[in-house]
Amino acid sequence: MEEKDIPKVEHPNDAIARVSLAATCGSDLHLYHGMMPDTRVGMTFGHEFVGTVHEVGSSGQNLKPGDRVMVPFNIFCGSCYFCARGLYSNCHNVNANATAVGGIYGYSHTCGGYDGGQSEYVRVPFADVGPSLIPEWMDEEDAVLLTDAVATGYFGAQLGDISEGDTVVVFGAGPVGLFAAKSSWLMGAGRVVIDAVGAEADGNLTQHVTSSQLKLQGGSPVALNWAIDSVRKGGTVSVMGAYGPMFSAVKFGDAVNKGLTLRMNQCPVKRQWPRLFEHVRNGYLKPSDIVTHRIPLEHIAEGYHMFSAKLDGIIKPLIVPSAS
Amino acid sequence: MPYTADKPQPKETSEQLRARIPGWGVDLDPKDRPSVPRERRDRPTGAHWEFPERQEEKVPRERSIEHKFLTPVFGTSTPPAGVSGTLRRFAYRYSEGRAAHWLILLAADRVNAWEAHLGSFVSLHPDNPITETGVLSEFSGHGVRSRFGKKRADLAHQWIDPALVAGPWILAGAAVVAIARNLRRHKA
Ligand SMILES: [Zn+2]
Ligand SMILES: [Zn+2]
């Protein structure tokens, strides 16, 4: 663990937040294993966090110090062509390093080079746009899961265009997969099958070596190919997750011949919140049920090793502030 | 799938599902899903600008050549530095549509990791592979019990991981020893 200075306001609409709870996400392991290009030594990980406002830049209107906020993993401006249409994850004004992907906290320079929230303080750009006040009645642990995992699972189900009685198969039984399954019920699925792809989805030994050591594969195509195989003709495959910018051996021919609709995006988290807040309030979703571990910030190295090696039944670890 | 036009009968009726699963079908109507319709422009975002003010560029900020100009807001966590920094700046001359861009960046990441390891050895705070990799959690996190008797598919290739992780270190160490020996022989 390294000490860094408390981040500063760098743009008039920035805020600085003091992190009260963060989470690690399965996609952080892609960074941890060096699979995501332009992950620089010294940057801070963490795109799922909640906290209190510590400082607000000169053009900030909506937040004041002391406010309890939840911050969606997307960084977005609110005013570009894409933001205007609710495509917050595709914002064009926040990622200097790439145009295909938007800005994400703590997710390499490919996603903008912003420090993340697995720390004590974090810079929150466009503070009038991204964060929301945590509703009085909402648990902080529920709130932190709404910043990515729950919203992404819901979005995955949404892109599946589920109609009443449809059969849905979810590949992957991590937090996002479980919330996708739950959301499929809310959208009227008749049957939901969950396949715990686990590490099988990183494929055979050759694939494991080429991806983990040679970094030649960005995101395993194995689970995606299973999805293409399993869906009926004319069906829809919805893809959530961190796919690297480069080569993936996808069964594109089968997708064409079966007439599939492939839908995918990073979740525009904040667009989902009003509806998801209702669902949490009504008890249809209980995000924090999925939390398995609470790891103090000073033990984050052990936390990452456990998460990566799947020790101790770990599914969703939260990072809690250091005792000191 | 049957070879007729009807949807297959679900195992449970909608009524049964509604009774069994809290909230079943509350978002059945696509109108109740927050992304419909896609071209809506009436959501308040909190933005009080047409185009945001520009963040000050204190050090030259690399950018994708697919961008017309430096974005109004950008991350500044780790400006490029050292050999990896040179490689990274070079990568940003290529379009993100080209493999060269990404392959150079991946190479720069490896170089950056080695720069950091080597840098740590000349600092007061050298890297400690025991405490800083978190490997001690093998003891606190039931390393053995988490792996055996669990039908974990990844165990099929986990045996090779220590070699994949430690291999480059051992090779680098051997190279250093070989070079040192060579130098000594030449002096003698
Ligand atoms: Zn995530
Ligand atoms: Zn935008």
Side-chain angles (χ1 to χ4, degrees):
Chain A
M1 274 230 300
E2 298 285 335
E3 292 267 339
K4 283 184 171 179
D5 292 336
I6 295 180
K8 290 189 191 64
V9 166
E10 299 185 45
H11 178 275
N13 211 253
D14 283 356
I16 307 300
R18 190 187 175 111
V19 178
S20 52
L21 197 57
T24 55
C25 172
S27 57
D28 287 332
L29 294 178
H30 299 302
L31 299 176
Y32 183 67
H33 292 137
M35 315 287 275
M36 193 73 185
D38 218 351
T39 299
R40 302 181 185 177
V41 175
M43 79 164 303
T44 308
F45 291 2
H47 55 267
E48 306 179 352
F49 58 90
V50 299
T52 49
V53 175
H54 174 72
E55 190 188 344
V56 181
S58 59
S59 92
Q61 299 183 356
N62 300 341
L63 297 178
K64 55 180 191 317
D67 284 344
R68 281 197 331 145
V69 287
M70 50 202 287
V71 182
F73 76 79
N74 328 101
I75 297 169
F76 58 105
C77 77
S79 63
C80 70
Y81 178 94
F82 306 100
C83 286
R85 284 156 184 78
L87 294 164
Y88 303 144
S89 46
N90 308 107
C91 177
H92 214 60
N93 277 336
V94 292
N95 183 358
N97 298 75
T99 55
V101 60
I104 300 177
Y105 290 96
Y107 212 75
S108 84
H109 272 66
T110 296
C111 297
Y114 296 91
D115 267 334
Q118 289 166 14
S119 60
E120 290 178 296
Y121 291 89
V122 60
R123 171 192 173 207
V124 176
F126 292 119
D128 284 340
V129 175
S132 270
L133 295 178
I134 300 177
E136 282 300 322
W137 50 269
M138 192 185 284
D139 214 66
E140 225 170 44
E141 292 198 352
D142 287 331
V144 76
L145 287 159
L146 284 164
T147 65
D148 179 5
V150 182
T152 298
Y154 187 84
F155 187 58
Q158 206 172 41
L159 294 192
D161 259 337
I162 298 162
S163 56
E164 184 168 351
D166 279 352
T167 298
V168 175
V169 185
V170 178
F171 288 96
V176 170
L178 295 173
F179 288 122
K182 186 85 199 189
S183 303
S184 302
W185 291 125
L186 303 182
M187 293 174 201
R191 219 173 140 211
V192 180
V193 180
I194 306 184
D195 186 293
V197 296
E200 257 177 282
D202 28 91
N204 58 27
L205 188 62
T206 320
Q207 282 167 326
H208 178 64
V209 175
T210 53
S211 61
S212 79
Q213 206 53 43
L214 305 175
K215 324 287 176 197
L216 292 180
Q217 305 193 57
S220 161
V222 176
L224 179 54
N225 285 333
W226 287 343
I228 290 171
D229 284 342
S230 67
V231 75
R232 70 154 157 70
K233 285 174 273 192
T236 303
V237 174
S238 153
V239 189
M240 296 293 108
Y243 280 76
M246 287 196 298
F247 330 103
S248 299
V250 178
K251 292 185 170 182
F252 197 67
D254 285 347
V256 172
N257 293 333
K258 290 176 81 172
L260 304 186
T261 301
L262 304 181
R263 296 186 73 188
M264 63 215 86
N265 200 354
Q266 301 295 340
C267 173
V269 172
K270 199 173 177 183
R271 200 169 80 192
Q272 319 280 29
W273 278 352
R275 188 69 176 166
L276 293 180
F277 286 4
E278 279 177 54
H279 287 338
V280 174
R281 204 166 198 183
N282 288 326
Y284 300 155
L285 291 170
K286 179 60 184 158
S288 57
D289 275 354
I290 210 161
V291 173
T292 52
H293 289 67
R294 289 165 185 84
I295 296 166
L297 185 59
E298 72 256 35
H299 294 150
I300 193 147
E302 285 80 13
Y304 265 95
H305 182 83
M306 286 179 69
F307 198 34
S308 167
K310 301 186 178 68
L311 302 184
D312 211 17
I314 199 162
I315 290 177
K316 189 69 180 176
L318 298 184
I319 309 295
V320 300
S322 298
S324 54
Chain B
M1 275 303 263
Y3 283 72
T4 56
D6 292 329
K7 260 193 181 185
Q9 275 301 317
K11 284 215 172 104
E12 290 174 281
T13 64
S14 299
E15 285 63 42
Q16 286 170 315
L17 287 165
R18 192 170 287 116
R20 185 166 72 78
I21 298 166
W24 184 88
V26 285
D27 290 332
L28 186 51
D29 186 343
K31 279 207 301 292
D32 294 331
R33 299 180 196 171
S35 68
V36 177
R38 282 197 250 179
E39 280 281 333
R40 263 177 61 176
R41 286 196 52 190
D42 57 342
R43 293 180 188 86
T45 64
H48 37 86
W49 47 79
E50 270 294 302
F51 180 78
E53 275 183 75
R54 313 288 300 264
Q55 181 178 335
E56 196 189 330
E57 186 182 5
K58 287 178 183 153
V59 288
R61 179 64 166 80
E62 69 287 1
R63 69 175 163 87
S64 164
I65 61 169
E66 301 300 325
H67 271 301
K68 190 173 173 189
F69 46 74
L70 185 59
T71 52
V73 158
F74 48 87
T76 51
S77 70
T78 31
V83 179
S84 61
T86 309
L87 277 170
R88 279 174 178 136
R89 281 191 214 98
F90 182 64
Y92 280 97
R93 288 200 208 164
Y94 291 95
S95 158
E96 31 173 312
R98 305 261 313 261
H101 174 75
W102 301 109
L103 289 172
I104 297 167
L105 286 176
L106 280 171
D109 289 350
R110 306 286 88 79
V111 172
N112 190 195
W114 276 99
E115 282 172 336
H117 288 314
L118 296 174
S120 84
F121 293 133
V122 297
S123 74
L124 295 171
H125 180 45
D127 287 348
N128 179 337
I130 310 281
T131 57
E132 289 178 12
T133 56
V135 74
L136 290 174
S137 63
E138 288 289 336
F139 301 104
S140 57
H142 312 108
V144 174
R145 215 197 310 154
S146 300
R147 288 195 175 85
F148 296 99
K150 294 273 175 193
K151 291 194 189 157
R152 273 179 54 177
D154 57 326
L155 295 182
H157 57 58
Q158 249 189 22
W159 59 270
I160 203 174
D161 288 353
L164 289 178
V165 173
W169 287 88
I170 294 169
L171 286 176
V176 169
V177 171
I179 291 167
R181 252 194 220 155
N182 239 323
L183 287 177
R184 211 177 306 150
R185 204 175 302 149
H186 276 280
K187 266 190 197 159

